[in-house]
Amino acid sequence: MKLGNPIAQPFKHYWVENVFLKEEYDKIIQFSRSSNYEEVGDSCRGSVGLGHSNFSGCELPFVMPKNIVQILTDAFWNNIIYQYPKATKEIVYDQAHAESFCVRDRQGYEMPPHQDGGSFIVGYAQLFIANETDEHHGIILHKSLQPERKMNIANAVDPDKQGDEYDAFYKDHKTEAVTTYPYKANCLYAIGCDDTTWHEVKSVKPNFNRYSLIWQLYWNQRGDYI
């Protein structure tokens, strides 16, 4: 998997078309449409695991290459070092792990403008598994209209304080939609997870299933490098 050159606005991110070869993408489609999804609470999302960078046996090995942690760490390095200035790439290479999921979002699934700074996830990539291009079910990137409001990462990574920190950061935080990418076959967007990377998913329409393949870069020890 290659992410290529990043796009600068409204924050550093990636949009890549024709990510996989046709025969690989066809396997992804088949897997996504034939899998048994486990529902994630009442979120209108179901998921099925594809692989973990620390273990072998991925059902679609080409989506989890051996260097997936390095690929994602390099792509999201500016976002990681922004939150964790004491880190080095070698530390993240050694401590982080990547997981991949196939997800199915059903009617009602939506995510209003938000960001994932302070979570265990420090990088996120999503491949759309679409039959036809659809503007509504894509991804919308926002910029903060109050960039001076920064998340206190020390509080955000502390289980006893993170709830209050998130509440304070999100309360009445104004953003503006800047870029929209369509739900389009074999296209991938990727973002680092910090308090600048605001994004939104519109509510999934009735009688529609929104399929995608997700990679998440987890770094559990991140709090030691603030």
Side-chain angles (χ1 to χ4, degrees):
M1 183 175 69
K2 295 181 180 180
L3 295 180
N5 296 321
I7 300 166
Q9 298 298 329
F11 49 78
K12 182 180 177 181
H13 67 281
Y14 297 85
W15 173 254
V16 186
E17 301 197 13
N18 300 313
V19 178
F20 290 102
L21 298 174
K22 182 181 184 304
E23 55 268 29
E24 294 173 334
Y25 183 66
D26 287 346
K27 291 179 181 178
I28 293 172
I29 291 178
Q30 182 179 7
F31 181 89
S32 69
R33 302 314 195 257
S34 61
S35 292
N36 293 318
Y37 290 86
E38 181 178 348
E39 299 300 319
V40 183
D42 58 356
S43 68
C44 302
R45 164 167 283 187
S47 71
V48 56
L50 265 169
H52 189 299
S53 61
N54 292 341
F55 306 104
S56 59
C58 178
E59 294 204 40
L60 300 174
F62 56 88
V63 308
M64 289 289 285
K66 292 182 179 180
N67 63 339
I68 188 66
V69 171
Q70 288 88 341
I71 290 172
L72 296 177
T73 299
D74 290 350
F76 305 130
W77 181 243
N78 287 351
N79 306 88
I80 294 172
I81 203 71
Y82 167 75
Q83 293 191 115
Y84 310 105
K86 295 181 181 179
T88 66
K89 282 190 178 180
E90 288 69 27
I91 287 171
V92 183
Y93 290 163
D94 180 63
Q95 294 184 352
H97 70 273
E99 295 186 37
S100 183
F101 310 86
C102 198
V103 301
R104 180 185 62 198
D105 300 326
R106 299 178 288 106
Q107 177 181 345
Y109 178 86
E110 64 182 327
M111 293 293 288
H114 68 287
Q115 52 71 48
D116 302 301
S119 70
F120 286 100
I121 303 167
V122 293
Y124 181 97
Q126 183 168 8
L127 177 84
F128 292 136
I129 314 173
N131 292 327
E132 297 179 358
T133 300
D134 176 351
E135 299 291 341
H136 178 86
H137 292 104
I139 185 75
I140 305 169
L141 306 185
H142 287 241
K143 69 176 181 180
S144 171
L145 298 180
Q146 300 170 292
E148 71 282 358
R149 291 178 62 176
K150 303 294 185 184
M151 183 172 287
N152 183 323
I153 297 301
N155 288 341
V157 302
D158 183 336
D160 295 327
K161 300 178 181 178
Q162 61 186 201
D164 291 340
E165 181 61 31
Y166 272 72
D167 288 346
F169 182 75
Y170 277 109
K171 183 176 175 58
D172 301 323
H173 199 132
K174 296 179 175 61
T175 68
E176 177 184 35
V178 174
T179 301
T180 299
Y181 292 112
Y183 181 66
K184 185 178 180 182
N186 203 11
C187 289
L188 176 147
Y189 83 92
I191 59 175
C193 298
D194 66 40
D195 59 20
T196 70
T197 57
W198 292 82
H199 50 290
E200 173 188 9
V201 181
K202 291 184 179 180
S203 181
V204 174
K205 291 182 177 180
N207 303 312
F208 190 91
N209 286 322
R210 177 181 183 265
Y211 293 95
S212 56
L213 195 157
I214 291 172
W215 296 260
Q216 294 181 162
L217 181 67
Y218 290 87
W219 185 27
N220 297 343
Q221 298 92 337
R222 72 216 185 287
D224 296 334
Y225 301 92
I226 297 171

